[in-house]
Amino acid sequence: MVSKNQIKTITGLQQKKYRKEHKMFIAEGVKVVEELLNSHFELQQLFTTQNDFTDIPHEKRVEVTDAELKKISALTTANTCLAVFSIPEEENKLPDSGLIVALDEVRDPGNLGTIIRMCDWFGVTHLVCSYGCVDVYNPKVIQATMGSVTRVKVIYADLQDYLKNTSLSVYGTFMDGENIYTQSLPQNGIVVFGNEANGISKEIEDVVTDKISIPRFGKLQQTESLNVATATAIILSEFRRSLS
């Protein structure tokens, strides 16, 4: 059974200010919860409508009804389980080697979650976000990562300062950049992706060393832009293609 106080606390975790206050976040669905349980994230409480997760200590596992789960779920249609995890100490060490993705004011939770999955797929272990990006512990972000958040370190930082002081090449995605398919791409560098509506800001553009773009092949050439998560997948694929 879920108490009224638990309902209030758990539903509050859908908001960033309460996640920061309680230092906890929620995850829903068997796949995501299993990934988190098998990682460094610390479980606080697990609520399930099924006879599963029986290896979880009794004091941390609560069997609930579908109606009870719906009361604490952040989803339109509740899954079969919801878990509350502790937010770990914030990572402060910024990466200075390897292939790194940086995001400039990406606001959509689904986009951030999908980008984290793309990083995981292409072996990018560090994702640097500007302070204006959506919170990685937003329930929709966690849901969209499908567990990849356990393998990709997401760090929030002053993005302009970080890029100004790195020794790595900084690649930025622009409509007028060099054709990505004709470039010789390194295995070490930072690739910046911009805001869904406005792209990369002027402040960040000023510290980009290499402008790249994904060419349009449509006859009319009228498509304004690609979704930022889609662009991330295409560009990371090109950076990794030189390894094959």
Side-chain angles (χ1 to χ4, degrees):
M1 183 173 176
V2 189
S3 69
K4 287 184 179 179
N5 281 340
Q6 285 177 315
I7 292 171
K8 183 178 178 181
T9 299
I10 294 167
T11 56
L13 297 178
Q14 295 178 30
Q15 297 181 54
K16 183 177 180 179
K17 65 178 181 178
Y18 292 118
R19 290 194 294 273
K20 289 186 72 175
E21 179 184 329
H22 296 292
K23 295 184 178 179
M24 295 187 299
F25 70 97
I26 60 173
E28 300 190 60
V30 173
K31 163 68 174 170
V32 180
V33 170
E34 282 182 340
E35 291 268 17
L36 287 161
L37 287 172
N38 292 321
S39 73
H40 63 284
F41 286 96
E42 180 188 356
L43 176 70
Q44 290 294 321
Q45 199 88 59
L46 185 146
F47 302 88
T48 179
T49 62
Q50 309 294 309
N51 184 28
D52 54 8
F53 297 107
T54 53
D55 56 332
I56 300 298
H58 174 74
E59 65 272 14
K60 289 193 173 186
R61 182 182 176 277
V62 181
E63 287 195 21
V64 294
T65 64
D66 290 335
E68 287 176 319
L69 189 65
K70 186 176 181 181
K71 288 180 181 179
I72 57 176
S73 176
L75 302 175
T76 304
T77 303
N79 212 300
T80 61
C81 64
L82 179 150
V84 180
F85 290 90
S86 298
I87 294 176
E89 287 298 315
E90 208 168 322
E91 177 77 46
N92 292 319
K93 190 176 186 302
L94 289 163
D96 56 6
S97 63
L99 185 59
I100 301 156
V101 170
L103 302 181
D104 180 18
E105 307 285 314
V106 169
R107 304 285 178 82
D108 182 85
N111 282 337
L112 178 56
T114 304
I115 289 169
I116 292 170
R117 287 184 72 188
M118 292 302 102
C119 287
D120 188 21
W121 183 270
F122 289 105
V124 175
T125 58
H126 287 84
L127 174 62
V128 180
C129 295
S130 68
Y131 289 124
C133 286
V134 62
D135 177 27
V136 65
Y137 296 111
N138 179 303
K140 292 180 180 178
V141 176
I142 296 296
Q143 193 73 21
T145 72
M146 291 302 291
S148 288
V149 71
T150 63
R151 292 177 290 275
V152 178
K153 289 185 178 179
V154 181
I155 305 166
Y156 288 80
D158 182 322
L159 189 57
Q160 184 183 28
D161 184 64
Y162 169 56
L163 298 177
K164 278 171 65 177
N165 291 290
T166 184
S167 59
L168 297 171
S169 295
V170 179
Y171 289 80
T173 49
F174 296 88
M175 292 297 289
D176 60 350
E178 296 294 326
N179 185 337
I180 185 79
Y181 301 123
T182 64
Q183 302 303 298
S184 177
L185 301 169
Q187 290 307 301
N188 287 277
I190 302 171
V191 191
V192 184
F193 298 91
N195 173 267
E196 291 87 348
N198 304 311
I200 292 174
S201 63
K202 182 66 172 65
E203 297 78 26
I204 301 303
E205 181 179 356
D206 289 342
V207 292
V208 166
T209 59
D210 297 85
K211 292 185 177 183
I212 54 176
S213 71
I214 301 167
R216 292 177 293 189
F217 291 95
K219 288 184 178 179
L220 297 179
Q221 301 282 297
Q222 290 181 348
T223 307
E224 281 191 9
S225 63
L226 284 173
N227 169 273
V228 64
T230 302
T232 302
I234 294 169
I235 287 178
L236 289 183
S237 178
E238 283 302 303
F239 269 88
R240 289 312 196 197
R241 192 160 64 97
S242 62
L243 289 175
S244 60

